[in-house]
Amino acid sequence: MTNAVFTKPWNIRALMFLSLFVLMGCGHTTAKAAPTDREPSYALSPDTDTRLRQVISGRAAEYPNMSGFKLLETGQESFEMRLALIENAERTLDMQYYAIHDDVTANLLMQAAVRASERGVRVRFIIDAINLGEVENTFSALDSLANIEIRAFNPLTTKKQNFFERMFTRVTNLSSLNRRMHNKALIADNQLAIMGGRNLGDAYFEEFTNVTFKDVDIIAAGKIVPEISQSFDEYWNNKNTIALKNVVTPPQDLDTILETKRELAVNWYESLQSEEGSDLINTHLTDDIKDGKINLIWARARMDADDPDKIDDDAEVTGEDVSEPLLRLDQLLENAQDEFLIVSPYFVPMETGVEWLSELEDRGIQVKVLTNSLASTDIVAVHTGYEDYRKKLLRNGVEIFELKPIGGKQPKQRLAGMESPAQTSLHSKVFVVDRAAVMIGSFNLDPRSINLNTEAMLSIYSPAISGQVAEMFKEVTAPDRSYRLELDRNEGLIWVEGEGDERKVYYTEPSATLGRRIQAMLMSLLPIERHL
């Protein structure tokens, strides 16, 4: 007779789960173990004689212990500058990104990287593994080419795990899935680098699409660039960064690789046939960099990036202590006297943040925040983590602005997950202190950036660049582009647009559809704030 203990479904599932433990030696193998067939490598010495060094060193000698910077305010300029750096690289090209899309501009940059590799440039690319899927086949083919190596940061599983190990890891290691590398950098010959908030794709460069992310990048030269390269090397050689061939099965035949190269070449050729694409590819910036014609502002600066081991489950997570960018921001504010400008598309201050910003107001520092409105955000869940703190911040003197959807168009709604906003969404991560120092990079003021993701920021001590960013803040928070939040006489939250006779007041989230409001209401009931 069959033993009754094995006849109930829940007992069968329990037996299967126990069997996994037995098959795996009562433990589990995850993607954390660094494969032995991966060689460490490091950035090119900044003293190596390259054309870029010759261009930069002469100017840098005039400004000892300083670095040169130029803001990249538009998507087009940001794309063209990346393309120019790739085309000017002679020895090394390092790229580190949270996401890259399979679209026109991203594939143009990948084609430029392939061309660089063919002229002998060593190309290294780190991508966060959670965003590998869209470009998995392309990257797998490129990784098979000479001089190109691609690694994936924090994959949940690897090819080296057997079926049971992968199943067990996916079930038991979900906390690892929630910890991502959000850093963004592109470095040419360890002489010029681009950092900021943009990922690689049409929406970020505001090309070939009507859905865009408004962002800010900055190009850096001189003393700061080896610091950016050092951070890249720490990630490249870290145990959490896995060779792509151990995550994705490499192409099994040469035809697959050749077809990928052909598709990239066709994308380049077809782009050249359009006015928009031709303007991007035939940029004068390539020659301007080669000829040293890029106007840079020279200033003191430093690089602050999280340790890649921040994502480990056994890492000590103690809020502020675990976030290098937040520590730097807090230090900048210690001596602040007048003003603190915050641009954070995902802004979830929580109670500690409300207290922190309120204390700044008590010191006489004017705090102004620009973030997404419910209508412009691409992640509704993040908005629900922010909305309950608005009244408290306003009562304590903090000024809040929310970006309008361009043209007042309402986004298409989905019941869950991420979605594309109408026309445009704020994506910049910028902080300005007293118009004397500015931080630019990937860090949002939210629990995810502080506790879960790795982030990187440049701190630049320059009234000139700070003033440029402050002027951008003023333009974007103007009544025609953002709502100004206020409290009415009954302490109710209102959204104001226009001024004087054109002043218009909204008493509910403006431009947000009923579907989006319902979605926000449902998500606000979930205990997810610390994961936002």
Side-chain angles (χ1 to χ4, degrees):
M1 186 171 74
T2 304
N3 191 330
V5 76
F6 296 120
T7 61
K8 296 183 179 181
W10 67 269
N11 280 323
I12 294 175
R13 289 195 294 270
L15 179 63
M16 292 177 63
F17 194 76
L18 180 62
S19 298
L20 285 174
F21 270 105
V22 173
L23 287 168
M24 300 169 65
C26 296
H28 68 281
T29 302
T30 71
K32 301 295 186 183
T36 56
D37 54 350
R38 188 196 72 174
E39 293 294 329
S41 62
Y42 300 92
L44 182 73
S45 168
D47 296 326
T48 303
D49 185 31
T50 63
R51 183 169 57 245
L52 288 180
R53 184 179 186 278
Q54 294 170 10
V55 169
I56 298 302
S57 59
R59 295 290 309 279
E62 301 175 25
Y63 303 93
N65 299 317
M66 291 188 178
S67 302
F69 300 97
K70 176 180 170 56
L71 280 176
L72 306 176
E73 300 180 28
T74 69
Q76 179 177 346
E77 185 181 23
S78 230
F79 171 87
E80 291 177 354
M81 193 64 79
R82 282 173 171 81
L83 182 60
L85 260 61
I86 294 173
E87 292 186 331
N88 274 286
E90 290 182 296
R91 298 287 298 276
T92 61
L93 176 66
D94 293 331
M95 292 178 279
Q96 179 180 15
Y97 284 95
Y98 171 67
I100 177 172
H101 297 280
D102 184 18
D103 56 21
V104 178
T105 55
N107 285 328
L108 287 175
L109 293 176
M110 290 302 97
Q111 170 67 357
V114 169
R115 292 184 175 189
S117 71
E118 290 174 343
R119 62 176 186 264
V121 177
R122 182 195 69 183
V123 179
R124 300 187 295 176
F125 197 118
I126 308 173
I127 183 172
D128 188 277
I130 200 171
N131 289 304
L132 184 58
E134 187 174 348
V135 294
E136 181 178 297
N137 293 334
T138 299
F139 268 32
S140 182
L142 296 186
D143 187 54
S144 302
L145 299 177
N147 297 324
I148 297 181
E149 184 176 0
I150 301 173
R151 296 181 181 180
F153 186 82
N154 194 27
L156 192 60
T157 61
T158 70
K159 284 169 55 267
K160 289 183 176 291
Q161 294 173 281
N162 61 41
F163 171 79
F164 295 106
E165 289 172 333
R166 293 186 187 187
M167 182 187 300
F168 192 84
T169 299
R170 290 188 176 114
V171 171
T172 63
N173 203 24
L174 293 180
S175 62
S176 178
L177 182 65
N178 201 32
R179 298 169 180 267
R180 310 314 321 169
M181 179 198 74
H182 200 225
N183 314 39
K184 289 111 176 172
L186 186 151
I187 313 160
D189 285 345
N190 205 6
Q191 296 295 327
L192 286 169
I194 296 174
M195 284 186 59
R198 286 184 176 92
N199 294 300
L200 303 183
D202 293 348
Y204 298 96
F205 298 125
E206 304 170 53
E207 301 288 344
F208 306 105
T209 178
N210 64 350
V211 176
T212 61
F213 289 100
K214 293 297 182 183
D215 218 322
V216 177
D217 287 328
I218 194 161
I219 185 168
K223 186 175 183 292
I224 194 68
V225 176
E227 294 183 33
I228 301 172
S229 290
Q230 181 179 353
S231 174
F232 179 94
D233 285 347
E234 288 174 358
Y235 279 80
W236 182 258
N237 298 307
N238 185 264
K239 66 181 184 301
N240 294 303
T241 308
I242 308 302
L244 188 66
K245 62 186 178 182
N246 291 312
V247 180
V248 179
T249 301
Q252 299 302 303
D253 56 78
L254 180 60
D255 289 343
T256 301
I257 300 173
L258 294 177
E259 176 61 21
T260 298
K261 291 185 65 177
R262 188 192 71 81
E263 290 174 354
L264 291 177
V266 167
N267 177 68
W268 184 282
Y269 175 78
E270 290 180 347
S271 297
L272 277 174
Q273 308 314 303
S274 70
E275 182 178 355
E276 184 179 9
S278 179
D279 288 344
L280 284 174
I281 295 173
N282 296 319
T283 171
H284 63 87
L285 289 178
T286 298
D287 289 333
D288 287 351
I289 289 177
K290 185 186 304 181
D291 299 334
K293 294 181 180 179
I294 299 296
N295 293 322
L296 301 174
I297 295 173
W298 292 81
R300 293 186 303 108
R302 64 170 291 150
M303 162 80 167
D304 289 287
D306 287 322
D307 189 309
D309 288 335
K310 175 183 176 182
I311 66 148
D312 291 345
D313 291 336
D314 58 354
E316 183 181 358
V317 178
T318 56
E320 295 181 4
D321 293 339
V322 81
S323 172
E324 294 297 331
L326 183 60
L327 284 170
R328 177 60 44 202
L329 181 59
D330 201 33
Q331 290 175 5
L332 286 177
L333 288 166
E334 285 181 0
N335 299 316
Q337 297 180 345
D338 300 314
E339 184 182 61
F340 179 32
L341 304 181
I342 300 170
V343 183
S344 181
Y346 313 124
F347 177 61
V348 185
M350 303 183 71
E351 291 294 345
T352 54
V354 171
E355 181 180 350
W356 177 55
L357 297 178
S358 300
E359 288 175 353
L360 293 176
E361 284 283 347
D362 291 341
R363 285 169 45 193
I365 299 169
Q366 190 175 31
V367 180
K368 298 180 181 180
V369 179
L370 171 64
T371 190
N372 277 307
S373 63
L374 178 58
S376 67
T377 186
D378 65 316
I379 307 181
V380 173
V382 172
H383 189 84
T384 66
Y386 141 76
E387 60 187 8
D388 288 341
Y389 297 107
R390 294 181 290 199
K391 287 185 179 181
K392 295 179 182 179
L393 290 168
L394 291 171
R395 289 191 195 103
N396 292 325
V398 176
E399 297 182 37
I400 304 176
F401 301 88
E402 293 182 356
L403 187 73
K404 293 180 179 181
I406 298 300
K409 295 184 179 181
Q410 296 176 333
K412 295 180 179 180
Q413 304 300 324
R414 298 177 186 171
L415 290 179
M418 296 181 63
E419 54 192 289
S420 295
Q423 302 301 312
T424 190
S425 182
L426 182 70
H427 200 257
S428 310
K429 305 101 166 67
V430 182
F431 308 99
V432 184
V433 179
D434 286 348
R435 307 200 179 199
V438 59
M439 292 183 69
I440 299 176
S442 68
F443 176 80
N444 288 288
L445 270 181
D446 63 6
R448 170 164 292 280
S449 286
I450 295 171
N451 296 317
L452 298 175
N453 290 348
T454 68
E455 309 285 357
M457 297 288 281
L458 282 178
S459 297
I460 305 166
Y461 304 90
S462 167
I465 297 177
S466 299
Q468 290 177 11
V469 176
E471 187 60 30
M472 293 167 58
F473 185 96
K474 180 180 178 181
E475 292 174 1
V476 178
T477 57
D480 62 329
R481 299 182 66 179
S482 293
Y483 302 108
R484 179 187 176 94
L485 274 63
E486 298 180 5
L487 296 175
D488 64 16
R489 65 183 64 183
N490 298 314
E491 290 287 294
L493 191 64
I494 58 175
W495 290 256
V496 179
E497 69 175 7
E499 296 176 311
D501 295 339
E502 298 182 356
R503 176 182 166 98
K504 186 174 182 179
V505 176
Y506 299 89
Y507 291 89
T508 57
E509 307 270 3
S511 299
T513 64
L514 177 61
R516 176 161 282 214
R517 292 174 186 172
I518 292 174
Q519 181 182 351
M521 180 192 68
L522 293 174
M523 288 188 171
S524 68
L525 301 176
L526 301 175
I528 58 175
E529 184 179 81
R530 67 188 183 91
H531 299 290
L532 297 175

